[in-house]
Structure formats: C-alpha cells, structure tokens
Amino acid sequence: MSVDTSARTVMERCEILASYSEEPDRLTRRFATRAMQQVNETVMAWMHAAGMTVEQDNIGNLIGRYEASHAGAKTLLLGSHLDTVRDAGKYDGPLGVMVALACVERLFARQKRLPFAIEVLAFADEEGLRYNNAYLGSKFMTGTLDPKVLHLTDTKGITMAEAIRSFGGNPDPDTLQIARWRQDELLGYCEVHIEQGPVLEARNLPVGVVTAISGQNRLSVSFTGEAGHAGTVPMSLRHDALCAAAEFVLSVETLAGSLPGVVATVGQVTVQPGASNVIPGKVVLSLDVRHQDNAVRELASDQLEELAREICDTRGVSLGWQLLQEHKTIPCAPGLTRLLEQAIEEMGYPLLSLPSGAGHDGVTLSELTNIAMLFVRCRDGISHNPAESVTVEDVDVALNVLERFVLLYSV
Ligand code: GLV
Ligand code: MN
Ligand code: MN
C-alpha cells in the first residue's frame, strides 16, 4: 500500500518530539518543564509553517488557528496532548497533535479554506504526572480549572502557580474560570489517539471510532502507623504502615477482579521515613478506579474504602482517604461520530466502535462542545510504555479519515 509523505512526516515528528525529555534515557515530559517548552517551540514552528497563527496560552497550551474562508465563522477543534507519563511511549498524545497538524498542512498546501476555522490544540498537561491532577490543559481552556490546584506541589515542593510562572505563564486565579470560547462559537472537538488496547489489532483494523470515554476516580490513600526500630519492636507490637498498604494493594486487585469491567490500579507508593532499619510509619499511595458505568465505578470505590478501613482497624493504623478527581463516563456525540464512520466507510474499511478505558481531553471539552474520537491500532495494545508502536500505514489511514471528516463537515 502506498503511504502519503504527510503520514511519514507525522511519524518523523513523533520521533523528534520524543527526543525532548526531562530524563536522559527515557521519555518523561511533565507539565511546565524545559522539555515541554522545547516541544512547544518545535510544534509552534511547524504550525506557523502550516499557515496557522499560533498562541501559547497562560498555562502553556498551544493553539494553532487556521482561519475560515469568511470572518465570523465557527471553529472546529482538533488536537491532543504533548505531555507524557514517566518512561512513556512516543505516540500517546503527540500522535493526535501531529495528525491534526498534518491535516491542516494538507489544506494549506491546496490553499483550501473551509467555512469554519480549525484550531489545533496541543494540551500542556493531560496525564497529570507532575501534580497528580489530570486534564490541566483542557480544564484551563474550558474555564473549569479549580483555582485550588494552583497550590498543589510537585515532588520538589514547587507549587503549580510557581511552575506556571516560571514557564512564562500567568496563574491568575481570577482568569481560571473563563473559557477560551463561547459554546456557540464551536462546532466540536475531534481527537485522534492510539487505542492503547488490543481490540483493533485483534480485529485486524487500522482505526475505530470511540463510543464513550470511561469515568475514573483518582485518589490519594494514606496509611499512618508508627515508625519504630526494626531490631527492637516485636512483630506483635508493630503498626507497620507498609504492611497495611501492601494488604490493601492486593485487595484492590482482588476486588477489581471480582467486579466485571472494573479496573483499579495502585501506581505510586511512597514510604516514610524510608530506611531499611526503620518500621514504616507512613505510606501514601495513588489509587485509580475506572468503569464504563458510573454506578459501578462508585460502588467499587466505596467498597475499596470499606476494605481499607477494615485493614487499618485490624492493624491499628489510621487511614486517610482523599478523592482527588472524579470524572463521569462521557459519551461521544452521534453526529460527529457518524462523520468519522462515513469517512472510514468511504475508504472501504469495516466499522468498529469501541469504548475508551483511557481518559482523554474530550472529557473536559465535552462540557463546552460535542466530542468525537478516532482510535489508531497500536502494536500488542501496549501504551504508557516505551514499547508503544504504530505503523505509518495506519497513521496514513487515520490522517485520511480525519481529513475526510473535516471535509464532510464542511459540506
Ligand atoms: C491517561 O492516559 C489516563 O487514562 O490516565
Ligand atoms: Mn496517557
Ligand atoms: Mn493520551
């Protein structure tokens, strides 16, 4: 199959962006870091060359705007995020921005203007790695960022407000609740993203349309016991915070496994004081709970809290249970989704609809406009892992589908 050069360019650009990392041997690009500034500068240059005006907003999102054929027209939003998880792959986020950019590049090359403007959005933080708070970029754009998050600190004690300032932004709490657009100025938001799961590969399909984005809870759970001497405190008299946390981690796995469709993950653990000859006094861990059905997610979360309390009571340890973020399941809009399906069908591919277990910026954008998502097959369904891989052939299909989607919208 012949592949257009613009799909090759997308792949090359994902490689280039992956070279901007905070760590020498692996890809980690957190919010408001030098690595983020480097990718922003790089993407900004590509956007300019594609005929867009470009702006970096007050928390570091990039907005590339390709003007409409006439003044006063509405705006269609495309895009994804440029931050990554720790030790990330190259495609989660950047692929969606690069495909959207390539789509505009194709229009610009033909000097084609549409009856609406296109804004390519490159969000500064979707993963929430630095402040354990997801969707910062899209929340800022939609005016839904809670000013309280400005006081959150990263592992070095730097507040979010300080990070934004040192990135050249302005963390003015009074502006946080002003959306970038009015609802009636927008036509919708469409994001291309790797599937991050194995379904498309199993069905031998390059792309699929997303039905809904699963809801999720992010929590911080703390176990406070009593630090003590590892050589002198008998086992029966200990209140070891790590033993309580370990028991909880295993019960998360068991409980989630017993509720069909529930996924629950403990991905971060800190142990204090953290010495080999000191009984752990305090453990703080992250908990991520997801399900398509909001009621099931809430039930799972409640049951996990009950389990944690039982474990703590038995062990004489006290529990801290803090819900950091809660997002409901968000359905994709039937009208926009139908256009993606039409584009896929015109290209002769079978249609496959699938839900997204991963979170995406569309969750936040949906507060302001209709959303749609196109998934691209990835190898072995692997993501949040440096082994993330997509083929240029599949990227070519995704780019053609997105371009066709945009053109279908304009007729
Ligand atoms: C983002 O990748 C998430 O689903 O947590
Ligand atoms: Mn991700
Ligand atoms: Mn992503």
Side-chain angles (χ1 to χ4, degrees), residues 80-81 83 91-93 126-127 191 193 196 358-361 384:
S80 192
H81 58 97
D83 66 313
Y91 303 103
D92 173 3
E126 183 265 5
E127 303 284 7
E191 176 166 346
H193 203 284
Q196 308 183 277
H360 300 285
D361 289 299
H384 283 188

Side-chain angles (χ1 to χ4, degrees), residues 2-251:
S2 79
V3 165
D4 192 82
T5 47
S6 48
R8 295 193 193 286
T9 304
V10 167
M11 297 296 279
E12 284 161 17
R13 287 175 172 169
C14 288
E15 291 290 330
I16 293 169
L17 296 181
S19 69
Y20 296 115
S21 173
E22 292 177 64
E23 301 182 282
D25 301 323
R26 55 185 193 169
L27 173 54
T28 303
R29 203 163 52 233
R30 294 171 310 153
F31 175 63
T33 54
R34 179 164 158 67
M36 269 313 291
Q37 194 56 54
Q38 287 169 320
V39 295
N40 272 8
E41 283 163 14
T42 307
V43 174
M44 229 184 251
W46 292 333
M47 285 175 161
H48 274 133
M52 289 182 257
T53 53
V54 192
E55 177 191 333
Q56 180 169 306
D57 74 12
N58 262 333
I59 70 158
N61 296 306
L62 285 188
I63 303 110
R65 183 174 172 86
Y66 187 68
E67 284 302 343
S69 53
H70 61 278
K74 293 192 181 193
T75 301
L76 178 69
L77 306 174
L78 306 176
S80 192
H81 58 97
L82 291 179
D83 66 313
T84 72
V85 291
R86 183 169 288 119
D87 199 10
K90 299 174 187 137
Y91 303 103
D92 173 3
L95 179 71
V97 181
M98 293 304 103
V99 171
L101 167 62
C103 179
V104 171
E105 243 161 11
R106 283 185 175 179
L107 296 173
F108 185 57
R110 301 203 304 274
Q111 291 296 306
K112 185 162 178 63
R113 295 283 162 179
L114 303 172
F116 49 82
I118 293 180
E119 287 188 0
V120 175
L121 309 177
F123 296 109
D125 185 304
E126 183 265 5
E127 303 284 7
L129 179 60
R130 185 161 180 183
Y131 290 102
N132 199 7
N133 204 288
Y135 308 137
L136 292 182
S138 46
K139 282 190 172 173
F140 179 78
M141 280 204 205
T142 51
T144 55
L145 191 60
D146 183 342
K148 284 199 213 98
V149 299
L150 293 173
H151 304 296
L152 294 176
T153 49
D154 68 6
T155 49
K156 293 212 168 111
I158 301 170
T159 65
M160 191 188 297
E162 284 163 351
I164 292 171
R165 231 175 268 116
S166 67
F167 199 67
N170 176 5
D172 177 356
D174 293 340
T175 64
L176 291 189
Q177 265 136 18
I178 303 170
R180 175 177 172 81
W181 317 269
R182 285 194 329 264
Q183 218 164 335
D184 63 0
E185 292 172 324
L186 295 178
L187 294 175
Y189 171 73
C190 183
E191 176 166 346
V192 173
H193 203 284
I194 56 167
E195 181 202 339
Q196 308 183 277
V199 177
L200 290 169
E201 189 173 59
R203 300 286 292 268
N204 198 22
L205 292 173
V207 293
V209 292
V210 176
T211 51
I213 304 171
S214 284
Q216 63 169 286
N217 288 6
R218 282 193 185 202
L219 300 110
S220 172
V221 184
S222 67
F223 298 83
T224 307
E226 191 171 28
H229 198 295
T232 60
V233 185
M235 298 308 285
S236 61
L237 297 181
R238 294 184 179 200
H239 301 285
D240 185 324
L242 183 56
C243 290
E247 194 177 336
F248 176 67
V249 172
L250 290 178
S251 56

